[in-house]
Amino acid sequence: MANQEDIFKKVISHAKEYGYIFQSSEIYDGLSAVYDYGQNGVELKKNIREYWWQAMVQLNDNIVGIDAAIFMHPTTWKASGHVDAFNDPLIDNKDSKKRYRADVLVEDHVAKIEGKIEKEVKKAAKRFGDSFDKKQFLETNPRVLDYQAKADGILKRLGKSLENEDLADVKELIEELGIVCPISGSKNWTDVKQFNLMFGTKLGATADSAMDLYLRPETAQGIFVNFLNVQKSGRMKIPFGIAQTGKAFRNEIVARQFIFRMREFEQMEMQYFIKPGTQKEWYDTWKEKRLNWHLSLGLGEDNYRFHDHEKLAHYADAAADIEFRFPFGFKELEGIHSRTDFDLGSHEKFSNKKLQYFDPEENKSYVPYVLETSIGLDRMFLAVFSSALQEEALENNTTRTVLKLPAVLAPTKAAVLPLLKRDGLPEVAHKLMDDLKWDFNVVYDEKDAVGRRYRRQDAVGTPFCVTVDHQTLEDETVTIRHRDTMEQQRVKINEVKGIISKEVDMRYWLQRI
Ligand code: GAP
């Protein structure tokens, strides 16, 4: 069986081969941790964004969207705490000269311990068969409990040291755990240092008058500074939300995991403005809502888990990640943060403008609390793409590579294929294509044997192939082949649109939330 690294390599090469993702400026040897989306990638990304937007904005009458600028007044980042506190703890290995995030080194070590727990579970499941009770096993098996206690202890200590800015203890922890550099294999580490992740740039023509700016490291602040504009112009009543999708930039040091950690990426964020004191209730509600959004796509319930934060960001009083099982293990996909009144309160102080809401029920004004949901669009892309890519053994001892993207997200919904390039079949196929293209992205393909064309569409993730053959000329029927089951159905040509619509319509998928 292929190991994690091989699977991940396959994901990256497949994304390139089928026009999903390319390295940025590849002809100049690329730019590290920056990527371009190709002809299929841009469609998949757009569909994920739209799936999020519909779930958050269109289906919630108290959530509205905005599109704030990437450039913001520099004081924004002072007020938000990013100038002083948006740092990563870094450590260098003196032998390989490679730089790492110290917390990631420790977390990877913990992931290995958790991997041992998973192995114990698999072994026991095999041994006990149908009578295996996973929950009971996790709660009682001494070896598992020992591993779990070790993992929890390490994370707790890491959280505490980071919170106290005790970087010497982070180094000590790395040394105590015997963590080695993956490149040199040595434990020859430097001290741990903090490094600010924001990219700086300048606004203005001359050196003296230029103003120092930052590229925004999160989209959230564009929402906070517009809180009153939206509240007043939209006559919004608390609780209400403001949603936004857009680019964010971070000078990531450890940027080796393809589009998982990029220097330029896109976020989909929503700030939900609430009455102080109700944050716990909304935190639980949004954790559940967001997990249900993920589950509605059918990527597999086992691929998700919550991770509650020990170490809280400077703005939060509670925070959890929705983690996804990526090819390199469970990692953060989305964050749900109870941000208190930190941001609005701080912008009030720095701007000297009141950012308060008059609550008619309470008959008083207050700075609202904020519950945030924040997901990386590129990371969501990777979750969808990597879990969809499968090598399937077929009955005739061959394998097929199939990209089982949720049909609602697939870049192209159907391929129209004339069985042969003659006898009037291409004309009928073109006519069908011209009709379908008003509703969906469709492609036409007449090159090679039809079996090879099916395989091509499987690999690119097209959920339906519609084949026009000689029978079509006689009775106006075509075959629809379903990507996932490879089943073929003979249907009337005028039924094709309805059959595809039912499977790709966002309404059908979003109703599962
Ligand atoms: N406004 C809160 C915020 O930005 P975050 O946990 O730093 O919180 C939110 O980021 C989400 O953005 C993450 O869960 C992740 O999906 C995505 N993200 C963060 N850094 C990223 C990066 N360098 N590359 C790709 N996605 C990233």
Side-chain angles (χ1 to χ4, degrees):
M1 214 177 100
N3 66 25
Q4 286 190 332
E5 209 170 300
D6 290 341
I7 294 171
F8 193 35
K9 276 191 189 147
K10 173 95 189 134
V11 166
I12 298 169
S13 66
H14 196 87
K16 179 173 180 192
E17 187 178 347
Y18 288 91
Y20 278 88
I21 298 171
F22 309 125
Q23 177 77 58
S24 158
S25 348
E26 194 184 327
I27 60 167
Y28 295 106
D29 295 334
L31 193 60
S32 140
V34 186
Y35 292 91
D36 298 338
Y37 286 83
Q39 67 278 20
N40 286 314
V42 72
E43 296 288 342
L44 174 55
K45 197 175 172 199
K46 186 184 76 184
N47 292 341
I48 297 173
R49 192 190 293 112
E50 182 62 20
Y51 195 69
W52 181 87
W53 191 267
Q54 288 206 9
M56 301 301 272
V57 180
Q58 190 171 326
L59 294 177
N60 288 294
D61 55 12
N62 66 343
I63 301 182
V64 293
I66 63 164
D67 182 17
I70 288 172
F71 291 144
M72 299 184 71
H73 192 283
T75 310
T76 309
W77 305 111
K78 195 77 197 142
S80 69
H82 284 82
V83 171
D84 297 321
F86 194 52
N87 301 316
D88 270 349
L90 298 184
I91 190 165
D92 292 357
N93 182 270
K94 291 184 198 161
D95 298 318
S96 67
K97 310 271 182 268
K98 286 278 169 201
R99 180 162 279 191
Y100 299 91
R101 260 178 64 178
D103 54 337
V104 171
L105 282 181
V106 175
E107 279 165 9
D108 285 350
H109 183 86
V110 169
K112 279 190 194 141
I113 300 176
E114 285 170 345
K116 287 183 187 167
I117 296 178
E118 276 196 32
K119 256 195 200 147
E120 293 291 334
V121 169
K122 267 196 195 139
K123 258 197 320 200
K126 212 166 163 191
R127 191 155 20 109
F128 294 115
D130 286 347
S131 63
F132 181 59
D133 181 340
K134 185 173 169 186
K135 188 165 175 283
Q136 192 192 8
F137 181 77
L138 287 174
E139 282 168 5
T140 54
N141 180 276
R143 208 172 297 163
V144 166
L145 290 176
D146 193 37
Y147 285 140
Q148 196 58 58
K150 223 182 249 169
D152 291 347
I154 295 170
L155 287 179
K156 204 163 186 166
R157 175 155 160 211
L158 176 69
K160 213 162 162 196
S161 323
L162 290 174
E163 202 169 316
N164 297 337
E165 296 267 323
D166 187 353
L167 299 182
D169 191 57
V170 178
K171 182 178 180 189
E172 229 171 275
L173 183 59
I174 288 173
E175 286 175 339
E176 275 173 35
L177 296 173
I179 295 175
V180 298
C181 164
I183 309 285
S184 68
S186 91
K187 299 178 195 165
N188 196 4
W189 298 108
T190 62
D191 287 342
V192 179
K193 282 188 231 104
Q194 293 287 20
F195 176 86
N196 193 289
L197 298 181
M198 282 196 294
F199 281 106
T201 185
K202 288 196 185 293
L203 180 95
T206 62
D208 328 332
S209 65
M211 185 185 208
D212 285 317
L213 290 189
Y214 295 106
L215 298 184
R216 68 180 177 195
E218 62 170 13
T219 55
Q221 297 304 322
I223 290 178
F224 290 123
V225 300
N226 278 299
F227 157 73
L228 260 197
N229 285 336
V230 174
Q231 192 270 320
K232 289 213 149 69
S233 60
R235 295 159 64 214
M236 309 298 290
K237 293 208 165 39
I238 272 177
F240 74 91
I242 306 179
Q244 165 165 231
T245 71
K247 287 276 175 117
F249 303 82
R250 296 182 189 179
N251 198 359
E252 298 283 1
I253 298 311
V254 181
R256 279 189 296 267
Q257 285 161 321
F258 192 39
I259 56 167
F260 180 80
R261 200 177 299 287
M262 302 157 87
R263 297 202 163 106
E264 173 180 342
F265 58 100
E266 193 164 335
Q267 287 187 315
M268 306 191 287
E269 297 202 294
M270 192 276 300
Q271 325 298 135
Y272 204 65
F273 297 91
I274 55 177
K275 197 187 280 192
T278 62
Q279 65 269 33
K280 171 80 179 84
E281 175 195 323
W282 286 115
Y283 177 65
D284 293 340
T285 302
W286 278 105
K287 269 175 81 172
E288 191 187 329
K289 274 178 184 266
R290 291 304 304 146
L291 182 63
N292 287 343
W293 179 84
H294 286 283
L295 295 180
S296 72
L297 286 168
L299 304 183
E301 220 165 300
D302 284 355
N303 285 330
Y304 300 90
R305 69 180 189 195
F306 279 114
H307 166 74
D308 294 319
H309 284 207
E310 289 283 341
K311 179 194 179 234
L312 293 172
H314 57 275
Y315 50 71
D317 73 354
D321 296 335
I322 295 176
E323 292 188 338
F324 186 78
R325 195 199 300 267
F326 288 98
F328 36 84
F330 269 105
K331 295 271 179 215
E332 173 185 347
L333 170 59
E334 170 158 7
I336 291 127
H337 311 126
S338 172
R339 286 183 82 128
T340 67
D341 58 357
F342 173 84
D343 301 87
L344 288 181
S346 189
H347 285 304
E348 267 203 332
K349 267 187 238 138
F350 278 82
S351 67
N352 270 327
K353 308 262 164 37
K354 261 197 162 183
L355 296 177
Q356 300 198 355
Y357 170 77
F358 177 74
D359 191 328
E361 282 168 24
E362 304 266 324
N363 199 26
K364 67 172 190 196
S365 294
Y366 53 76
V367 177
Y369 269 39
V370 170
L371 199 291
E372 165 183 80
T373 71
S374 175
I375 175 170
L377 175 50
D378 314 84
R379 228 174 247 194
M380 183 64 195
F381 186 114
L382 184 59
V384 170
F385 192 88
S386 61
S387 60
L389 185 59
Q390 295 173 21
E391 288 287 333
E392 230 175 48
L394 300 179
E395 276 170 10
N396 61 2
N397 283 335
T398 59
T399 54
R400 69 164 182 155
T401 301
V402 53
L403 192 61
K404 291 188 171 175
L405 297 172
V408 66
L409 302 180
T412 302
K413 304 305 185 198
V416 182
L417 320 172
L419 187 64
L420 300 173
K421 265 193 269 183
R422 53 181 158 79
D423 304 338
L425 302 183
E427 287 76 6
V428 179
H430 273 302
K431 195 161 163 260
L432 175 60
M433 186 68 206
D434 282 343
D435 181 34
L436 294 178
K437 75 182 180 194
W438 293 93
D439 296 280
F440 327 106
N441 278 344
V442 277
V443 292
Y444 175 86
D445 189 4
E446 59 174 23
K447 193 167 175 286
D448 300 323
V450 77
R452 288 187 69 175
R453 283 182 267 168
Y454 286 155
R455 288 287 179 279
R456 247 193 326 262
Q457 296 303 328
D458 286 345
V460 79
T462 310
F464 301 100
C465 286
V466 184
T467 306
V468 173
D469 56 19
H470 290 96
Q471 194 179 329
T472 313
L473 306 178
E474 287 164 23
D475 62 6
E476 300 201 328
T477 61
V478 288
T479 59
I480 292 197
R481 175 185 178 273
H482 296 253
R483 177 198 64 199
D484 297 351
T485 58
M486 294 189 290
E487 268 171 33
Q488 300 193 22
Q489 241 184 311
R490 187 114 216 149
V491 300
K492 284 273 179 207
I493 205 161
N494 61 9
E495 290 169 353
V496 170
K497 195 193 300 178
I499 292 171
I500 298 175
S501 289
K502 215 176 125 244
E503 300 281 332
V504 305
D505 194 351
M506 286 212 178
R507 162 194 287 255
Y508 163 77
W509 292 77
L510 286 167
Q511 272 169 351
R512 301 176 185 176
I513 294 179

